[in-house]
Amino acid sequence: MITPHDLRVHKLLRLFSPLVRPIINTASRKRLRKAVNIADLRLCAESRLHKMCFGYLDSGGDDEITIRRNKDAYTQMEMHFKVLAGLAPPLDLSTNIFGSKVDIPFFASPTAGNKMFHMEGESAVANASKVNNSVYCLSSLATTSVDEVGKILPPDHPKLFQVYVWKDRDILKDILGKAKAGGIQTMALTVDFSWYGNRERDIRNNFTIPPAYTLQQCVDALKAPAWTWDFLANPPYNYALLDKDVPAESLASFVNSQLYPQFSWEDAEWLCKEWSHGPRAIKGICRPEDAVKALECGFTTIWVSNHGGRQLDTSPATVDVLPAIRAAVGPDVEIIHDGGIQRGTDIAKAIALGADGVAIGKPYLYGLAAGGTEGVLRTFEILRVELDRAMGLLGCGTVEQLKKEGPDLIKRRPASMRDCQGARYSRAGMI
């Protein structure tokens, strides 16, 4: 099938982008200015994105129970605050992550195909990371190259490169070489993605990359004019760290061709040896014994994650297993936590229960989809202000104090139906 990009329509449309984009993005900018929390940003993203792209971003595996568990678990944790702590805003939120000093204890997790959500893609996230002096993470399925990211971030900015459990070691060596040459200091191996999860919203929405131009996809495209213009007025994106001549035509088919379920601890040990110059994180740990084994294998950082609830449904909420993993590896091993983060209070709870740093995925992608760089910056601003307020009200003036006193400040109580209320479950008053 001949597509608009085959006909080079994007070269003509791009000439009119300076005039058209401000007009068709007026509504999305207005919505973004009104967003006061992450739930609002989610609605902003849904309003601007093509339906199938939002479904891909927002969905999880099977019945999406783990997505809900990740969120619900935080509501079952009470914050037993101290008073008269003598604190004044803004607090010192700085800490060390992956051996680098950063200004905030949370950062944007590596995610694939950012240009699917907005034309600015990974560059928008890099710019936001630079402004906030937070760790920047680049996926091996990124749609922006290491060199392009390097033009945005200074050489000493903390950067992480993420890889999957792929069967082709030559591909792994090649992309690791590009990451090293680009000055990336940290490597993370994602180990909870050896099989492709069952995302039923993608099936129902007939999700394809790029669009297959079916009647329904064209109708949905008309309902998302800002996203559609950006898609049609720009060159087709590809996986920038792989063969640039191969378009990003199908994320699922490419990943399925390279996923290697037989990837073992021996393979992981080989990968650690390939990355000997900096920190090595293993992303997707759920069990304490696996965390211990990962350290023996050569990893320096444990990343507690269930892939945002997108893989094995009914797996436990990550914050529920975090304390046990901290107890298993001891106080000196770095732990990164992700999963279900919607509020600054969620970040505070994760740090209090054993995390050294917290990664966010969906929240910043909602911001990206809602408004590019401006949207990602809004995500960081919302969570930074909320975390500052949460720590102040809790009575902790620094991240280190929160880590030290955290176990005494966060208490679990029995679940209640009243927990499943509030902005993270509703339209949050957005108009």
Side-chain angles (χ1 to χ4, degrees):
M1 181 183 67
I2 298 177
T3 70
H5 283 108
D6 293 331
L7 298 174
R8 301 295 189 265
V9 172
H10 59 282
K11 292 188 176 181
L12 174 63
L13 295 181
R14 198 164 192 176
L15 297 175
F16 299 95
S17 281
L19 295 175
V20 176
R21 293 195 77 250
I23 297 172
I24 60 175
N25 281 291
T26 299
S28 60
R29 287 198 182 99
K30 182 179 179 181
R31 287 190 296 265
L32 186 58
R33 286 194 297 268
K34 295 175 66 176
V36 298
N37 54 37
I38 300 304
D40 289 351
L41 289 179
R42 177 182 177 276
L43 295 173
C44 292
E46 184 178 20
S47 297
R48 190 183 185 279
L49 268 181
H50 192 286
K51 180 180 178 180
M52 68 175 182
C53 294
F54 179 76
Y56 171 80
L57 163 57
D58 196 56
S59 65
D62 294 346
D63 298 308
E64 302 186 356
I65 292 171
T66 299
I67 284 184
R68 295 192 294 274
R69 280 184 179 171
N70 279 345
K71 296 179 181 180
D72 295 346
Y74 296 104
T75 69
Q76 297 163 18
M77 295 175 178
E78 297 177 333
M79 306 185 83
H80 290 239
F81 57 91
K82 302 181 297 181
V83 298
L84 302 179
L87 302 175
L91 301 180
D92 179 12
L93 301 181
S94 66
T95 189
N96 287 288
I97 299 179
F98 303 127
S100 296
K101 183 71 175 291
V102 290
D103 289 349
I104 52 176
F106 63 92
F107 59 92
S109 188
T111 53
N114 285 188
K115 286 186 179 180
M116 181 199 319
F117 309 115
H118 194 281
M119 59 176 287
E120 295 176 9
E122 289 84 0
S123 295
V125 186
N127 277 307
S129 298
K130 180 179 179 181
V131 170
N132 288 275
N133 189 31
S134 65
V135 175
Y136 175 73
C137 301
L138 187 68
S139 168
S140 53
L141 289 178
T143 48
T144 302
S145 69
V146 175
D147 291 340
E148 290 176 273
V149 170
K151 295 176 183 178
I152 299 171
L153 300 173
D156 60 347
H157 188 95
K159 296 180 286 290
L160 174 145
F161 182 68
Q162 174 268 338
V163 295
Y164 296 99
V165 287
W166 285 349
K167 65 176 66 173
D168 193 329
R169 285 194 175 186
D170 289 335
I171 291 181
L172 282 174
K173 286 183 177 181
D174 180 60
I175 59 176
L176 286 176
K178 292 177 181 178
K180 292 175 185 177
I184 295 180
Q185 308 96 337
T186 303
M187 180 272 293
L189 171 66
T190 296
V191 293
D192 56 359
F193 195 59
S194 57
W195 297 64
Y196 199 84
N198 178 37
R199 289 83 179 271
E200 294 181 350
R201 277 201 246 179
D202 290 348
I203 299 172
R204 293 192 182 99
N205 292 333
N206 191 27
F207 173 74
T208 59
I209 306 174
Y213 299 97
T214 63
L215 177 60
Q216 186 58 57
Q217 286 186 359
C218 290
V219 171
D220 290 335
L222 291 173
K223 296 177 182 178
W227 180 91
T228 301
W229 178 270
D230 281 352
F231 176 76
L232 293 176
N234 286 280
Y237 57 83
N238 56 25
Y239 297 133
L241 278 78
L242 304 176
D243 187 345
K244 291 190 176 182
D245 294 328
V246 179
E249 290 183 349
S250 174
L251 179 64
S253 63
F254 175 82
V255 170
N256 275 323
S257 71
Q258 279 299 321
L259 285 181
Y260 187 46
Q262 298 97 319
F263 199 97
S264 65
W265 287 107
E266 288 75 19
D267 295 308
E269 187 173 359
W270 165 82
L271 188 64
C272 285
K273 292 177 181 177
E274 290 292 312
W275 192 277
S276 59
H277 73 286
R280 299 170 296 279
I282 183 168
K283 182 178 182 291
I285 294 297
C286 176
R287 299 177 63 88
E289 62 268 31
D290 280 345
V292 173
K293 195 165 187 176
L295 297 176
E296 296 171 349
C297 192
F299 290 96
T300 58
T301 299
I302 305 300
W303 194 320
V304 181
S305 175
N306 56 29
H307 216 83
R310 296 167 67 80
Q311 288 296 98
L312 179 61
D313 201 24
T314 71
S315 58
T318 50
V319 76
D320 284 342
V321 301
L322 175 61
I325 292 175
R326 169 54 74 193
V329 301
D332 299 325
V333 173
E334 183 175 58
I335 292 181
I336 304 299
H337 168 88
D338 73 35
I341 299 294
Q342 297 282 289
R343 289 282 189 181
T345 50
D346 299 341
I347 296 173
K349 290 173 182 178
I351 294 172
L353 293 173
D356 294 292
V358 175
I360 58 172
K362 284 184 171 66
Y364 85 84
L365 290 177
Y366 291 145
L368 175 65
T373 300
E374 184 181 356
V376 182
L377 286 169
R378 185 69 182 127
T379 300
F380 274 81
E381 179 187 16
I382 287 171
L383 292 176
R384 180 184 54 77
V385 171
E386 288 184 352
L387 176 60
D388 187 81
R389 182 187 303 116
M391 288 175 55
L393 290 171
L394 195 56
C396 291
T398 66
V399 173
E400 289 306 311
Q401 183 183 3
L402 180 58
K403 291 179 185 178
K404 181 179 179 181
E405 302 179 5
D408 187 52
L409 299 174
I410 308 301
K411 306 293 183 181
R412 178 179 293 278
R413 67 176 178 80
S416 166
M417 286 301 297
R418 292 176 298 175
D419 294 333
C420 300
Q421 298 176 11
R424 72 181 74 200
Y425 300 98
S426 71
R427 292 191 66 83
M430 282 285 287
I431 298 174

